[in-house]
Amino acid sequence: MKFAYLGRTGMKVSRLCLGTMNFGPRTDEKEAFAIMDRALEAGVNFFDTANVYGRGDNGHSGWTEEIMGRWFAQGGGRREKVVLATKVYGDMNDENDGPNEPRGLSAYKIRRHIEGSLRRLQTDRIELYQMHHIERHAPWEEIWGAFEGLVDQGKAYYIGSSNFGARHLAYAQAAAEKRNFLGLVSEQHKYHLMCRLPELEVLPAAQELGLGVIPWSPLGGGLLSGNVLNPAGGGARSGQAAANLTETQRAQLEAYGKLCAELGESESNVALAWLLANPAVTAPIIGPRTLAQFEDTLRAVEIELSSEALVKLDEIFPGPGGEAPEAYAW
């Protein structure tokens, strides 16, 4: 496994981040335990979750954190070896929160919800506590005041964001500087070969501010997995995704499949390797449902795409044309 500093911090994390959103609803506890054990064995020390993960038709918010907590409770240095990231913002369906339950980042919610996460995760601290979305009402004075308190208490070591626009990153850091607070150290963002809009502003802003970018959905919800054009190998979900493809997307995926075959690598791993080649990216989040899927992704960190391959990928999946404003102005 390879490692990188998380943004401008002195903390190192693995170049692949283990995403746990499937744990509970789609991956049972036994398989989840096996994946996490294998991740540590393979050198993956960066685990990402969220307080709302686990909810759905047959689940509940917090289920994923509960599974991880029981895994940590087994001991064996599991908790000590993991750089743990979770998130706050979403609705936890806690009737005790009353009108303060809906989504948001009030000081009230931040302080209450970290206690719930710590309890479910069976730990006393979270290395990276992330805002799951931007807050459009509470002022930064309130938000940073709450997070500073958690850092001072040792309940959180670093603060990150997710789904922020470039301007939100700038606002957050400007407010943090006024308080002499470190502020954000990372931004978790949707970014993959078929979604390159973040290259306009979010990625440049993150680099200039010293934030590590943690791409979520690096395979485009499975579109870049190689299964969409081969529904027999991917099941009903892939078949539905194939039916929804536009003619342009189908042509792109066909060309992509041919290129990956020429490279001798799986489509999933080429998509991950493309992200890893970007200096703005710290670690894409992989979300395996099975141990076999996790094993397959480990190859990605060893792939070094040639300049020719990168050019071909740009031709298949054109980006926005550079950074703003040059991408659309003189």
Side-chain angles (χ1 to χ4, degrees), residues 40 51 55 63 68 76 90 121 135 150 184 188 198-199 228 234 249 263 279 315 330:
L40 281 189
N51 59 357
R55 64 186 177 188
W63 189 8
M68 297 178 73
L121 290 162
E135 166 60 61
L150 300 184
L184 299 174
Q188 192 174 131
E199 293 172 12
V228 173
Q249 289 174 326
L263 296 174
E315 292 172 352
W330 59 271

PDB file of all heavy atoms in Angstrom, residues 40 51 55 63 68 76 90 121 135 150 184 188 198-199 228 234 249 263 279 315 330:
ATOM      1  N   LEU A  40      -6.868  -3.853   6.808  1.00  0.00           N
ATOM      2  CA  LEU A  40      -5.712  -3.588   7.671  1.00  0.00           C
ATOM      3  C   LEU A  40      -4.513  -4.422   7.254  1.00  0.00           C
ATOM      4  O   LEU A  40      -3.378  -3.939   7.217  1.00  0.00           O
ATOM      5  CB  LEU A  40      -6.064  -3.880   9.128  1.00  0.00           C
ATOM      6  CG  LEU A  40      -6.872  -2.833   9.887  1.00  0.00           C
ATOM      7  CD1 LEU A  40      -6.934  -3.196  11.367  1.00  0.00           C
ATOM      8  CD2 LEU A  40      -6.274  -1.433   9.729  1.00  0.00           C
ATOM      9  N   ASN A  51     -22.690   9.016  10.032  1.00  0.00           N
ATOM     10  CA  ASN A  51     -23.670   8.640  11.047  1.00  0.00           C
ATOM     11  C   ASN A  51     -24.991   8.163  10.445  1.00  0.00           C
ATOM     12  O   ASN A  51     -25.711   7.382  11.066  1.00  0.00           O
ATOM     13  CB  ASN A  51     -23.911   9.792  12.026  1.00  0.00           C
ATOM     14  CG  ASN A  51     -24.410  11.070  11.364  1.00  0.00           C
ATOM     15  OD1 ASN A  51     -24.539  11.166  10.151  1.00  0.00           O
ATOM     16  ND2 ASN A  51     -24.680  12.076  12.182  1.00  0.00           N
ATOM     17  N   ARG A  55     -29.247   3.321   6.918  1.00  0.00           N
ATOM     18  CA  ARG A  55     -30.688   3.514   6.787  1.00  0.00           C
ATOM     19  C   ARG A  55     -31.170   2.983   5.436  1.00  0.00           C
ATOM     20  O   ARG A  55     -30.404   2.778   4.514  1.00  0.00           O
ATOM     21  CB  ARG A  55     -31.047   4.986   6.931  1.00  0.00           C
ATOM     22  CG  ARG A  55     -30.492   5.892   5.844  1.00  0.00           C
ATOM     23  CD  ARG A  55     -30.776   7.335   6.156  1.00  0.00           C
ATOM     24  NE  ARG A  55     -30.193   8.232   5.167  1.00  0.00           N
ATOM     25  CZ  ARG A  55     -30.171   9.550   5.306  1.00  0.00           C
ATOM     26  NH1 ARG A  55     -30.672  10.108   6.381  1.00  0.00           N
ATOM     27  NH2 ARG A  55     -29.633  10.307   4.372  1.00  0.00           N
ATOM     28  N   TRP A  63     -26.564   2.218  11.708  1.00  0.00           N
ATOM     29  CA  TRP A  63     -26.290   0.779  11.640  1.00  0.00           C
ATOM     30  C   TRP A  63     -24.835   0.511  11.255  1.00  0.00           C
ATOM     31  O   TRP A  63     -24.170  -0.348  11.843  1.00  0.00           O
ATOM     32  CB  TRP A  63     -27.236   0.138  10.631  1.00  0.00           C
ATOM     33  CG  TRP A  63     -27.236  -1.368  10.588  1.00  0.00           C
ATOM     34  CD1 TRP A  63     -26.599  -2.226  11.432  1.00  0.00           C
ATOM     35  CD2 TRP A  63     -27.923  -2.199   9.642  1.00  0.00           C
ATOM     36  NE1 TRP A  63     -26.846  -3.533  11.069  1.00  0.00           N
ATOM     37  CE2 TRP A  63     -27.662  -3.538   9.976  1.00  0.00           C
ATOM     38  CE3 TRP A  63     -28.746  -1.926   8.550  1.00  0.00           C
ATOM     39  CZ2 TRP A  63     -28.175  -4.609   9.240  1.00  0.00           C
ATOM     40  CZ3 TRP A  63     -29.265  -2.989   7.813  1.00  0.00           C
ATOM     41  CH2 TRP A  63     -28.981  -4.311   8.171  1.00  0.00           C
ATOM     42  N   MET A  68     -19.139  -1.194  12.728  1.00  0.00           N
ATOM     43  CA  MET A  68     -17.730  -0.851  12.884  1.00  0.00           C
ATOM     44  C   MET A  68     -17.331  -0.840  14.359  1.00  0.00           C
ATOM     45  O   MET A  68     -16.234  -1.267  14.716  1.00  0.00           O
ATOM     46  CB  MET A  68     -17.444   0.505  12.233  1.00  0.00           C
ATOM     47  CG  MET A  68     -17.679   0.509  10.725  1.00  0.00           C
ATOM     48  SD  MET A  68     -17.389   2.127   9.973  1.00  0.00           S
ATOM     49  CE  MET A  68     -15.591   2.222  10.055  1.00  0.00           C
ATOM     50  N   GLY A  76      -7.218  -6.252  19.446  1.00  0.00           N
ATOM     51  CA  GLY A  76      -6.160  -6.624  18.511  1.00  0.00           C
ATOM     52  C   GLY A  76      -5.539  -5.432  17.810  1.00  0.00           C
ATOM     53  O   GLY A  76      -4.953  -5.582  16.733  1.00  0.00           O
ATOM     54  N   GLY A  90     -26.751  14.871   8.527  1.00  0.00           N
ATOM     55  CA  GLY A  90     -28.014  14.267   8.143  1.00  0.00           C
ATOM     56  C   GLY A  90     -28.998  14.061   9.275  1.00  0.00           C
ATOM     57  O   GLY A  90     -28.691  14.208  10.460  1.00  0.00           O
ATOM     58  N   LEU A 121     -19.608   3.795  17.530  1.00  0.00           N
ATOM     59  CA  LEU A 121     -18.302   3.331  17.067  1.00  0.00           C
ATOM     60  C   LEU A 121     -17.447   2.760  18.197  1.00  0.00           C
ATOM     61  O   LEU A 121     -16.355   2.245  17.943  1.00  0.00           O
ATOM     62  CB  LEU A 121     -17.557   4.491  16.386  1.00  0.00           C
ATOM     63  CG  LEU A 121     -18.131   4.926  15.031  1.00  0.00           C
ATOM     64  CD1 LEU A 121     -17.630   6.319  14.658  1.00  0.00           C
ATOM     65  CD2 LEU A 121     -17.770   3.906  13.948  1.00  0.00           C
ATOM     66  N   GLU A 135     -23.808  24.043   5.139  1.00  0.00           N
ATOM     67  CA  GLU A 135     -24.865  24.590   6.001  1.00  0.00           C
ATOM     68  C   GLU A 135     -25.237  25.970   5.468  1.00  0.00           C
ATOM     69  O   GLU A 135     -24.375  26.845   5.345  1.00  0.00           O
ATOM     70  CB  GLU A 135     -24.357  24.691   7.441  1.00  0.00           C
ATOM     71  CG  GLU A 135     -25.194  25.537   8.365  1.00  0.00           C
ATOM     72  CD  GLU A 135     -26.611  25.044   8.502  1.00  0.00           C
ATOM     73  OE1 GLU A 135     -26.797  23.901   8.972  1.00  0.00           O
ATOM     74  OE2 GLU A 135     -27.528  25.793   8.135  1.00  0.00           O
ATOM     75  N   LEU A 150     -14.723  20.446  20.043  1.00  0.00           N
ATOM     76  CA  LEU A 150     -14.490  19.002  19.911  1.00  0.00           C
ATOM     77  C   LEU A 150     -13.002  18.693  19.767  1.00  0.00           C
ATOM     78  O   LEU A 150     -12.506  17.711  20.325  1.00  0.00           O
ATOM     79  CB  LEU A 150     -15.254  18.455  18.698  1.00  0.00           C
ATOM     80  CG  LEU A 150     -16.771  18.631  18.706  1.00  0.00           C
ATOM     81  CD1 LEU A 150     -17.382  17.958  17.481  1.00  0.00           C
ATOM     82  CD2 LEU A 150     -17.390  18.067  19.985  1.00  0.00           C
ATOM     83  N   LEU A 184     -10.526  23.448   7.739  1.00  0.00           N
ATOM     84  CA  LEU A 184     -10.668  22.222   6.962  1.00  0.00           C
ATOM     85  C   LEU A 184      -9.310  21.665   6.564  1.00  0.00           C
ATOM     86  O   LEU A 184      -8.364  22.404   6.288  1.00  0.00           O
ATOM     87  CB  LEU A 184     -11.476  22.497   5.687  1.00  0.00           C
ATOM     88  CG  LEU A 184     -12.905  22.994   5.854  1.00  0.00           C
ATOM     89  CD1 LEU A 184     -13.500  23.347   4.493  1.00  0.00           C
ATOM     90  CD2 LEU A 184     -13.752  21.943   6.558  1.00  0.00           C
ATOM     91  N   GLN A 188     -14.361  15.924   0.671  1.00  0.00           N
ATOM     92  CA  GLN A 188     -14.828  14.677   0.054  1.00  0.00           C
ATOM     93  C   GLN A 188     -15.826  15.075  -1.029  1.00  0.00           C
ATOM     94  O   GLN A 188     -16.843  15.719  -0.738  1.00  0.00           O
ATOM     95  CB  GLN A 188     -15.469  13.788   1.119  1.00  0.00           C
ATOM     96  CG  GLN A 188     -15.707  12.381   0.628  1.00  0.00           C
ATOM     97  CD  GLN A 188     -16.208  11.464   1.722  1.00  0.00           C
ATOM     98  OE1 GLN A 188     -17.198  10.753   1.536  1.00  0.00           O
ATOM     99  NE2 GLN A 188     -15.540  11.469   2.862  1.00  0.00           N
ATOM    100  N   PRO A 198     -15.669  19.090 -11.164  1.00  0.00           N
ATOM    101  CA  PRO A 198     -14.853  19.596 -10.049  1.00  0.00           C
ATOM    102  C   PRO A 198     -13.498  20.166 -10.482  1.00  0.00           C
ATOM    103  O   PRO A 198     -12.881  20.934  -9.730  1.00  0.00           O
ATOM    104  CB  PRO A 198     -14.674  18.362  -9.157  1.00  0.00           C
ATOM    105  CG  PRO A 198     -15.901  17.546  -9.422  1.00  0.00           C
ATOM    106  CD  PRO A 198     -16.156  17.718 -10.893  1.00  0.00           C
ATOM    107  N   GLU A 199     -13.052  19.814 -11.700  1.00  0.00           N
ATOM    108  CA  GLU A 199     -11.772  20.329 -12.174  1.00  0.00           C
ATOM    109  C   GLU A 199     -11.825  21.832 -12.442  1.00  0.00           C
ATOM    110  O   GLU A 199     -10.794  22.499 -12.471  1.00  0.00           O
ATOM    111  CB  GLU A 199     -11.350  19.587 -13.446  1.00  0.00           C
ATOM    112  CG  GLU A 199     -11.032  18.117 -13.213  1.00  0.00           C
ATOM    113  CD  GLU A 199     -10.802  17.349 -14.504  1.00  0.00           C
ATOM    114  OE1 GLU A 199     -10.667  18.001 -15.572  1.00  0.00           O
ATOM    115  OE2 GLU A 199     -10.777  16.104 -14.458  1.00  0.00           O
ATOM    116  N   VAL A 228     -21.678  -2.612 -16.674  1.00  0.00           N
ATOM    117  CA  VAL A 228     -22.869  -2.010 -17.265  1.00  0.00           C
ATOM    118  C   VAL A 228     -23.134  -2.529 -18.674  1.00  0.00           C
ATOM    119  O   VAL A 228     -24.281  -2.782 -19.054  1.00  0.00           O
ATOM    120  CB  VAL A 228     -22.754  -0.473 -17.271  1.00  0.00           C
ATOM    121  CG1 VAL A 228     -23.902   0.159 -18.045  1.00  0.00           C
ATOM    122  CG2 VAL A 228     -22.757   0.038 -15.846  1.00  0.00           C
ATOM    123  N   GLY A 234     -23.009  -8.253 -13.989  1.00  0.00           N
ATOM    124  CA  GLY A 234     -23.256  -7.287 -12.942  1.00  0.00           C
ATOM    125  C   GLY A 234     -24.609  -7.369 -12.283  1.00  0.00           C
ATOM    126  O   GLY A 234     -24.863  -6.689 -11.297  1.00  0.00           O
ATOM    127  N   GLN A 249     -22.925   8.102 -23.853  1.00  0.00           N
ATOM    128  CA  GLN A 249     -22.344   7.344 -22.743  1.00  0.00           C
ATOM    129  C   GLN A 249     -22.003   5.918 -23.165  1.00  0.00           C
ATOM    130  O   GLN A 249     -20.949   5.397 -22.792  1.00  0.00           O
ATOM    131  CB  GLN A 249     -23.316   7.319 -21.565  1.00  0.00           C
ATOM    132  CG  GLN A 249     -23.480   8.644 -20.855  1.00  0.00           C
ATOM    133  CD  GLN A 249     -24.559   8.602 -19.794  1.00  0.00           C
ATOM    134  OE1 GLN A 249     -25.576   7.915 -19.942  1.00  0.00           O
ATOM    135  NE2 GLN A 249     -24.353   9.333 -18.705  1.00  0.00           N
ATOM    136  N   LEU A 263      -4.710  -2.024 -22.184  1.00  0.00           N
ATOM    137  CA  LEU A 263      -3.797  -1.812 -21.055  1.00  0.00           C
ATOM    138  C   LEU A 263      -3.627  -3.069 -20.215  1.00  0.00           C
ATOM    139  O   LEU A 263      -2.708  -3.152 -19.400  1.00  0.00           O
ATOM    140  CB  LEU A 263      -4.335  -0.678 -20.168  1.00  0.00           C
ATOM    141  CG  LEU A 263      -4.405   0.718 -20.799  1.00  0.00           C
ATOM    142  CD1 LEU A 263      -5.098   1.696 -19.848  1.00  0.00           C
ATOM    143  CD2 LEU A 263      -3.004   1.218 -21.136  1.00  0.00           C
ATOM    144  N   PRO A 279      -2.623  14.997  -8.746  1.00  0.00           N
ATOM    145  CA  PRO A 279      -1.953  15.459  -7.517  1.00  0.00           C
ATOM    146  C   PRO A 279      -2.900  16.060  -6.489  1.00  0.00           C
ATOM    147  O   PRO A 279      -2.540  16.186  -5.317  1.00  0.00           O
ATOM    148  CB  PRO A 279      -0.959  16.502  -8.024  1.00  0.00           C
ATOM    149  CG  PRO A 279      -1.474  16.920  -9.371  1.00  0.00           C
ATOM    150  CD  PRO A 279      -2.125  15.710  -9.937  1.00  0.00           C
ATOM    151  N   GLU A 315      -9.605  11.970 -24.204  1.00  0.00           N
ATOM    152  CA  GLU A 315     -10.346  11.974 -25.469  1.00  0.00           C
ATOM    153  C   GLU A 315     -11.690  11.272 -25.309  1.00  0.00           C
ATOM    154  O   GLU A 315     -12.705  11.708 -25.860  1.00  0.00           O
ATOM    155  CB  GLU A 315      -9.515  11.296 -26.558  1.00  0.00           C
ATOM    156  CG  GLU A 315      -8.268  12.074 -26.959  1.00  0.00           C
ATOM    157  CD  GLU A 315      -7.370  11.292 -27.896  1.00  0.00           C
ATOM    158  OE1 GLU A 315      -7.636  10.089 -28.116  1.00  0.00           O
ATOM    159  OE2 GLU A 315      -6.398  11.874 -28.405  1.00  0.00           O
ATOM    160  N   TRP A 330     -11.184  34.111 -21.716  1.00  0.00           N
ATOM    161  CA  TRP A 330      -9.828  34.286 -22.248  1.00  0.00           C
ATOM    162  C   TRP A 330      -8.801  34.188 -21.143  1.00  0.00           C
ATOM    163  O   TRP A 330      -9.109  34.298 -19.976  1.00  0.00           O
ATOM    164  CB  TRP A 330      -9.706  35.634 -22.979  1.00  0.00           C
ATOM    165  CG  TRP A 330     -10.012  36.830 -22.139  1.00  0.00           C
ATOM    166  CD1 TRP A 330     -11.212  37.398 -21.961  1.00  0.00           C
ATOM    167  CD2 TRP A 330      -9.097  37.579 -21.355  1.00  0.00           C
ATOM    168  NE1 TRP A 330     -11.135  38.468 -21.110  1.00  0.00           N
ATOM    169  CE2 TRP A 330      -9.842  38.600 -20.715  1.00  0.00           C
ATOM    170  CE3 TRP A 330      -7.727  37.490 -21.103  1.00  0.00           C
ATOM    171  CZ2 TRP A 330      -9.240  39.532 -19.851  1.00  0.00           C
ATOM    172  CZ3 TRP A 330      -7.136  38.406 -20.250  1.00  0.00           C
ATOM    173  CH2 TRP A 330      -7.892  39.413 -19.631  1.00  0.00           C
TER     174      TRP A 330
END
